[in-house]
Amino acid sequence: MTYLFAGFLVVRRIECPEALPEGAAWREISKPFIGTGVRLPEFLGKSPSAEDVFAMAERLGLRRSDAWLYLTYDCWGGQIDFVYGLGSKDHIPFGPVEEDARDRVIDVYCALMQELGVSRLDALNFEPFKRGFWGER
């Protein structure tokens, strides 16, 4: 079974803007950190440019946070198949990084999540990636 995510994870609660992109889901995250998540279906399975990611983060008001991550995450049968991410920590940009090699993709994913202070254990059992969190079926 496939699980796909594309969007932002932010270590800060941010008020939802009045207008979201088509089909976007805005959720509060309570563990493993207190923050905000935004799922963007338009980016599913894609590696958007850093310029597009930073522009969307600005549009959504996410760049006010000290730590945010844009992530494209594809999983098949419980195995992470692909990850692409970039973001900002302490207002210093990092990434983009992209990986689909089976022997490296988990480490790259965990390194990206660590930028948000998420441990490897919590990253591999990430609450917002449990089915239904974003309202998807």
Side-chain angles (χ1 to χ4, degrees):
M1 187 171 271
T2 301
Y3 181 84
L4 304 173
F5 174 82
F8 291 94
L9 304 169
V10 184
V11 182
R12 178 178 171 186
R13 289 236 166 104
I14 295 180
E15 188 174 323
C16 183
E18 288 186 27
L20 290 174
E22 179 84 24
W26 187 280
R27 300 285 186 270
E28 287 188 358
I29 296 173
S30 58
K31 65 180 201 180
F33 58 83
I34 303 297
T36 303
V38 185
R39 185 175 187 267
L40 299 167
E42 68 188 271
F43 290 151
L44 289 174
K46 298 180 182 172
S47 302
S49 71
E51 293 79 17
D52 288 345
V53 169
F54 276 87
M56 183 64 77
E58 186 68 35
R59 173 181 167 197
L60 296 172
L62 306 177
R63 293 186 64 183
R64 295 180 296 211
S65 175
D66 290 337
W68 62 267
L69 170 66
Y70 169 82
L71 189 68
T72 298
Y73 171 93
D74 298 353
C75 186
W76 173 256
Q79 297 291 323
I80 302 170
D81 285 336
F82 174 80
V83 68
Y84 170 82
L86 65 136
S88 178
K89 184 175 181 181
D90 298 324
H91 302 285
I92 299 169
F94 61 86
V97 296
E98 185 171 3
E99 189 60 69
D100 64 0
R102 286 203 180 268
D103 63 335
R104 297 243 333 113
V105 70
I106 291 173
D107 289 338
V108 170
Y109 164 70
C110 289
L112 285 166
M113 296 297 279
Q114 180 135 28
E115 295 289 348
L116 299 179
V118 176
S119 72
R120 184 179 183 93
L121 182 63
D122 285 337
L124 294 174
N125 191 32
F126 193 55
E127 283 291 317
F129 289 173
K130 293 188 176 172
R131 292 195 188 279
F133 182 88
W134 302 100
E136 77 282 14
R137 295 179 184 166

